[in-house]
């Protein structure tokens, strides 16, 4: 059910109709991740989606007699997890390793592209699995990025990339820093506020693999 107090029904119906394909894709993804009513949050996902880069892989499972799980790539858009597939922790570890690898490559490419576009240079980048930060920048202009950025909408992911790149010029959160970021991302403060709830973009299977998540 969709409710929007104060908005005429015809307007609401038109808006939903225009976004129907997108809504279907989102619902399918959430169902696959066990995030919809009636779905099973403990179930292993049947797809992996790196939202920021519009990349998706179907996931298959094969039970085998081994104590852990092995993930094998089967073509450009499919992977198979084999082994102790009834062990949620083992499955999650295999999925995280795959996503961290793929996300790392995509984030490195994206940071390089955004750096060229903005004219903000950096000296190096490290991909991490930080539990409380989306990214950071050192005094030597080396940037650390959380691989889970790849699960965010591109607008939020790009903001974090530019946020850290701006720290290569202003290693603080002063008025100068925000003015610099605003020059590259108009309305940056309102977009930045959405990152407070950014962890909710992470699929349930990924969140169960962390005792805490970026916020």
């Amino acid at each position: 059910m969709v409710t929007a107090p104060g908005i005429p029904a015809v307007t609401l119906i038109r808006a939903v109709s225009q976004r129907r394909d997108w809504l279907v894709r989102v619902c399918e993804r959430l169902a696959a991740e066990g995030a919809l009513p009636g779905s099973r949050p403990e179930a292993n996902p049947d797809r992996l989606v790196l939202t920021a880069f519009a990349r998706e892989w179907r996931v298959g499972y094969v039970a085998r007699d081994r104590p852990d799980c092995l993930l094998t790539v089967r073509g450009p858009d499919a992977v198979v997890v084999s082994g102790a597939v009834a062990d949620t922790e083992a499955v999650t570890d295999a999925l995280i390793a795959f996503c961290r690898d793929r996300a790392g490559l995509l984030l490195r490419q994206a940071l390089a592209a955004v750096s060229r576009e903005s004219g903000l240079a950096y000296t190096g980048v490290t991909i991490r699995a930080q539990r409380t930060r989306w990214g950071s920048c050192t005094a030597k202009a080396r940037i650390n990025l959380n691989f889970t950025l790849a699960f965010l909408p591109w607008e939020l992911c790009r903001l974090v990339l530019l946020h850290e790149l701006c720290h290569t010029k202003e290693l603080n959160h002063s008025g100068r820093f925000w003015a610099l970021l605003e020059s590259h991302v108009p309305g940056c403060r309102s977009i930045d506020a959405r990152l407070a709830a950014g962890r909710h973009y992470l699929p349930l299977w990924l969140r169960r693999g962390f005792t805490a998540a970026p916020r």
Side-chain angles (χ1 to χ4, degrees):
M1 176 182 294
V2 178
T3 60
I7 298 179
V10 65
T11 301
L12 186 59
I13 292 172
R14 183 184 305 114
V16 172
S17 296
Q18 290 173 345
R19 301 286 286 172
R20 182 180 181 280
D21 291 343
W22 176 80
L23 288 169
V24 169
R25 290 196 302 272
V26 170
C27 287
E28 289 177 344
R29 176 173 62 82
L30 292 176
E33 294 164 358
L36 288 180
S39 59
R40 296 181 302 153
E42 74 279 5
N44 294 324
D46 64 7
R47 70 187 68 187
L48 303 174
V49 183
L50 299 185
T51 306
F53 304 103
R55 294 298 307 276
E56 181 174 327
W57 294 266
R58 298 187 309 277
V59 186
Y61 297 91
V62 178
R64 296 194 186 284
D65 185 16
R66 55 180 298 160
D68 57 0
C69 285
L70 174 69
L71 186 147
T72 305
V73 177
R74 296 288 177 84
D77 59 359
V79 300
V80 173
V81 178
S82 60
V85 296
D87 183 336
T88 298
E89 184 176 349
V91 171
T92 300
D93 287 346
L95 296 177
I96 286 178
F98 173 79
C99 288
R100 180 172 178 172
D101 179 68
R102 291 301 188 275
L105 176 62
L106 293 167
L107 286 168
R108 290 174 187 277
Q109 295 172 344
L111 183 65
V114 173
S115 173
R116 290 192 297 269
E117 294 168 4
S118 64
L120 298 169
Y122 61 100
T123 59
V125 58
T126 301
I127 306 300
R128 300 185 183 278
Q130 297 147 298
R131 297 183 184 276
T132 59
R133 307 181 73 175
W134 295 111
S136 61
C137 181
T138 71
K140 294 184 178 180
R142 184 169 185 87
I143 291 175
N144 298 308
L145 296 175
N146 192 322
F147 84 95
T148 60
L149 283 169
F151 292 92
L152 302 183
W154 170 243
E155 182 181 34
L156 297 184
C157 178
R158 179 176 181 272
L159 176 72
V160 174
L161 300 184
L162 279 163
H163 184 117
E164 302 309 334
L165 285 169
C166 285
H167 277 317
T168 64
K169 298 294 185 182
E170 295 289 341
L171 197 59
N172 51 60
H173 288 110
S174 65
R176 293 190 306 274
F177 166 82
W178 287 107
L180 178 60
L181 184 56
E182 179 72 22
S183 70
H184 292 286
V185 187
C188 64
R189 283 186 180 270
S190 63
I191 301 174
D192 184 76
R194 291 166 53 195
L195 281 172
R199 69 182 301 276
H200 297 297
Y201 288 103
L202 306 185
L204 292 178
W205 68 262
L206 178 59
R207 277 185 267 164
R208 77 190 182 198
F210 287 83
T211 55
R215 55 184 181 273

